[in-house]
Amino acid sequence: MLTRILKFLKGYVRIRLSGYAPERFFNLCGHHGIVLWDVRFTGTEYEMCVSVGGFRSLRPLVRKTRTKVVILERYGLPFLLHRYQKRKLFVPGALCGAILLWLLSLFIWNIHIEGNYHLSDDVILSYLNDIEVVHGMRKSEVHGSEIEADLREYFPEITWTSVEVKGTRLIVHVRESEEGETTKIADEEPADLVASQSGTVVSMIVRSGTPAVREGASVGDGDILVASRVEIYNDDGELASVSFVHADADITIRHQEYYEESFSVQYEKKVYTGRRRLSFYVTLGRHRFTFALPGASFEQSDVITAEVPLKLTENFYLPITIGKNTAQEYEIQDAVYTEEEATARAEEELALFFEKLSIKGLQIIENNVKIDTDGEQCTASGTYVIDEEAVQESAPDMSLQTQDDSEEEGNGT
């Protein structure tokens, strides 16, 4: 790579050599230290590359060997500058462009949120704006650890966050807590595994700790599944020692839940008139300039926004965004779902509910939900069976070890 850069900076040409003594020409080039590369024989002639300085030294060698040299192509910075020497503003313009790109690279022009499901991007961006983490801020002002701590403190739902700067982007990774999620006990501390849901244990793989139940057992909320207490017996079958570990296992519990959702078959329907109004905007840094086409505004409309942020690479965003807003006018009319339409909507809502469960890692085993329509209400109700890792960590009762130690001492005496 370095060799290519040096060749480009010094400039080189590709030449064609013809004549009666090309071998002598090559020998003389080697004797005078003239470097030739990418040499190709075309049948009666030779083609090769030589530096600009080397080409200037070829004239006496060509005369001695009675050969002929013709320039085929010119490459490199000297020829590029010569080509644009009449355009006096080209070099200053290119230099100014390079300086401008360097200056733009010192700022954050795009803030991207990843990993959020319940909290919307707008909510998180609004809070970041309150703590002065905004588009257009200098990258030197980004303090990742402080932003991470502020997000965790302000949003209790966020259990983990990470902030990184890539190019001109600030990427905020978050992880939200699930319902019923508890704080984990430190790995070096003893911990039991207990059920966080009543049901039946369908699978259990224990890596650390003592199993308290077996596969197929029915358990209740809070029952110990894997105990941190580990008992060690000697060859005589007597209890030799007791230790407490951090229990670790993969456990799946199957349980049944109840689902019920209903809605009225009478609703307000949007009827689009077909009238549209376009407006365009350009965002420069923190400022937005809107250009609306002539036309009356609508009392009721849906606005569809499409925008394109300008960027040089995946992570080098520019402070310019071009967007278009399309307002579609509609009127509100009273409507009634047919039985088929109501059933389809209920099925769609149920499928969305199950999809959210799947995203959380739950597996749907049975679906016994029924949909009924009575002319006024559409109701979906029934039970469903799921498999999930309904397990949480719990601090063990260390007093049990103290009692056992006391009993052993008493027996020994």
Side-chain angles (χ1 to χ4, degrees), residues 259 345-355 367 369 371 380 384:
Y259 174 91
R345 173 181 166 179
E347 289 177 346
E348 183 179 353
E349 292 180 353
L350 179 61
L352 181 61
F353 174 77
F354 284 153
E355 182 180 352
N367 174 16
V369 177
I371 300 174
Y384 60 94

Side-chain angles (χ1 to χ4, degrees), residues 113 116 119-128 151 155 174:
I113 313 297
N116 54 313
L119 294 172
S120 66
D121 289 354
D122 291 339
V123 170
I124 298 177
L125 289 174
S126 176
Y127 173 71
L128 292 177
L151 285 171
F155 296 104
V174 300

Side-chain angles (χ1 to χ4, degrees), residues 141-388:
E141 298 175 352
V142 176
H143 304 291
S145 58
E146 295 181 6
I147 297 173
E148 294 166 4
D150 289 341
L151 285 171
R152 290 193 298 268
E153 181 179 357
Y154 189 80
F155 296 104
E157 309 91 319
I158 296 179
T159 59
W160 174 88
T161 182
S162 174
V163 174
E164 63 175 334
V165 175
K166 285 188 176 181
T168 59
R169 303 182 76 194
L170 178 67
I171 303 178
V172 181
H173 305 271
V174 300
R175 186 175 68 193
E176 300 171 344
S177 62
E178 301 294 345
E179 185 177 354
E181 184 174 338
T182 58
T183 304
K184 295 192 65 175
I185 299 175
D187 292 340
E188 60 272 12
E189 297 293 331
D192 294 332
L193 291 182
V194 302
S196 60
Q197 176 70 49
S198 300
T200 302
V201 178
V202 294
S203 68
M204 172 183 287
I205 301 176
V206 179
R207 288 182 288 271
S208 177
T210 303
V213 296
R214 295 182 179 181
E215 292 184 2
S218 296
V219 296
D221 185 9
D223 288 352
I224 296 179
L225 305 178
V226 180
S228 60
R229 175 187 172 94
V230 177
E231 300 177 346
I232 301 175
Y233 293 86
N234 57 25
D235 295 337
D236 297 330
E238 298 177 346
L239 182 63
S241 63
V242 175
S243 62
F244 284 77
V245 300
H246 192 103
D248 183 21
D250 293 330
I251 303 173
T252 302
I253 295 178
R254 180 170 296 175
H255 60 94
Q256 180 176 278
E257 296 288 342
Y258 184 76
Y259 174 91
E260 182 175 1
E261 291 291 340
S262 62
F263 57 88
S264 174
V265 296
Q266 298 180 357
Y267 69 103
E268 293 183 340
K269 180 180 180 181
K270 291 181 180 180
V271 179
Y272 292 93
T273 64
R275 297 175 59 195
R276 297 185 178 186
R277 188 185 182 202
L278 298 179
S279 62
F280 301 88
Y281 63 87
V282 176
T283 302
L284 299 177
R286 304 179 189 179
H287 304 282
R288 173 176 291 192
F289 304 92
T290 302
F291 312 93
L293 296 181
S297 59
F298 304 137
E299 292 185 5
Q300 300 178 112
S301 63
D302 285 336
V303 178
I304 301 175
T305 300
E307 64 179 26
V308 178
L310 300 187
K311 57 183 180 179
L312 298 180
T313 65
E314 181 181 359
N315 292 313
F316 197 114
Y317 279 70
L318 299 176
I320 304 174
T321 299
I322 301 174
K324 180 182 73 171
N325 290 327
T326 303
Q328 299 180 337
E329 185 186 34
Y330 65 83
E331 298 176 350
I332 296 296
Q333 295 182 1
D334 294 332
V336 178
Y337 286 117
T338 64
E339 184 174 352
E340 292 77 12
E341 291 173 339
T343 301
R345 173 181 166 179
E347 289 177 346
E348 183 179 353
E349 292 180 353
L350 179 61
L352 181 61
F353 174 77
F354 284 153
E355 182 180 352
K356 291 181 179 179
L357 294 182
S358 299
I359 292 176
K360 294 180 180 180
L362 282 63
Q363 184 177 359
I364 312 300
I365 304 302
E366 292 183 13
N367 174 16
N368 300 315
V369 177
K370 305 298 182 182
I371 300 174
D372 294 318
T373 304
D374 60 7
E376 294 183 359
Q377 293 281 329
C378 179
T379 303
S381 61
T383 60
Y384 60 94
V385 178
I386 58 175
D387 285 354
E388 67 170 312

